[in-house]
Amino acid sequence: MRKRMDQLLHDFDGSSAMNQDVFVQQKEMNEFMYESAEKISFFFEEKAFDEEGNLKQPKEVSMSKVGHALHELDPVFKDYSRSEKFSSVLQSLGYKRPVIIQSVYIFKQSGFGNDVAPHQDNSTLYTEPKTTCTGLWLALEDATTANGCMWAIPGSHRNGLVRRLIRGEQGLHFDQSSPSYEQSDFVAIEAKAGSLVLIHGDLVHRR
């Protein structure tokens, strides 16, 4: 998958997207984010641009993530996402007909990568009559505190969903502000390359 992503980045023509509008869209979670659910979209790191909106380094080391329909539109990611390994894991959790909602390839760029604020996946991947989102994070390289692993609050999934992302006439917005969390409550979720980490949809986590 790493080789395939290298090829996708090589083929990506970022010349039309190399301006500050790209990372403003990403940060504000507007229509660009919403429409990416059915595309393979490329998200730049905010600090990858200078004041005039030009990249300060090659695009390959300027990305924050690529998503959110890799599992549908790219043959390599599609085959892996729909493999027996993944389906057996979900079936062991009690899922009868699991559906892949999104797929994201996340980068941790050295020196200027942005932190992702504490959040719950069910906030943006909400289902009814009950929330059923489970995240599967596959570490493609060792993830440690030194290179930006995930952090989470143990047991926070038992407190339920705090807020939801709503799409209305004013675009995408949360139905309430984000609560404050004590940083000391977070513990590092380090993972060796090849490890699969399951994330409850209500777990408060950051990276």
Side-chain angles (χ1 to χ4, degrees):
M1 285 191 290
R2 295 181 67 178
K3 289 183 178 179
R4 178 54 181 161
M5 183 52 64
D6 288 343
Q7 186 63 50
L8 289 174
L9 288 176
H10 178 271
D11 296 341
F12 170 58
D13 178 13
S15 60
S16 62
M18 290 180 184
N19 56 69
Q20 296 192 22
D21 289 340
V22 173
F23 64 73
V24 168
Q25 288 173 325
Q26 177 185 352
K27 186 169 62 176
E28 300 299 332
M29 297 186 68
N30 61 8
E31 291 303 308
F32 182 75
M33 171 69 85
Y34 187 84
E35 293 174 359
S36 71
E38 298 179 352
K39 301 178 181 179
I40 297 178
S41 299
F42 295 78
F43 296 80
F44 289 100
E45 289 282 2
E46 178 177 348
K47 296 179 182 178
F49 295 87
D50 61 24
E51 294 180 355
E52 297 180 353
N54 300 310
L55 282 176
K56 295 186 289 187
Q57 57 282 309
K59 61 184 178 182
E60 289 80 4
V61 292
S62 301
M63 289 292 164
S64 171
K65 64 180 180 178
V66 176
H68 292 91
L70 288 164
H71 64 284
E72 288 286 356
L73 302 179
D74 183 83
V76 174
F77 284 90
K78 183 175 183 178
D79 287 347
Y80 196 85
S81 300
R82 300 180 183 278
S83 67
E84 179 63 28
K85 291 182 179 180
F86 276 130
S87 62
S88 62
V89 169
L90 293 170
Q91 288 172 3
S92 71
L93 297 176
Y95 285 91
K96 303 300 182 182
R97 293 191 301 168
V99 176
I100 304 174
I101 299 300
Q102 70 173 24
S103 48
V104 188
Y105 191 106
I106 299 173
F107 301 85
K108 295 296 288 189
Q109 304 295 357
S110 176
F112 66 92
N114 293 326
D115 292 332
V116 175
H119 64 282
Q120 298 169 295
D121 290 340
N122 276 336
S123 292
T124 55
L125 301 173
Y126 184 79
T127 58
E128 292 180 325
K130 64 178 182 178
T131 53
T132 58
C133 171
T134 296
L136 279 68
W137 166 40
L138 176 64
L140 298 182
E141 58 184 78
D142 292 348
T144 69
T145 55
N147 65 5
C149 67
M150 184 174 69
W151 294 71
I153 300 179
S156 57
H157 63 288
R158 299 189 183 95
N159 299 326
L161 184 61
V162 175
R163 62 176 186 161
R164 285 183 55 192
L165 183 67
I166 306 295
R167 189 189 191 203
E169 295 181 357
Q170 303 302 319
L172 295 175
H173 65 279
F174 285 101
D175 58 0
Q176 55 184 301
S177 60
S178 176
S180 298
Y181 297 101
E182 294 292 337
Q183 296 305 308
S184 59
D185 290 339
F186 287 86
V187 299
I189 310 297
E190 296 185 302
K192 290 290 186 180
S195 299
L196 183 66
V197 179
L198 276 63
I199 307 170
H200 191 284
D202 285 342
L203 181 72
V204 177
H205 61 287
R206 61 178 175 83
R207 57 177 174 84

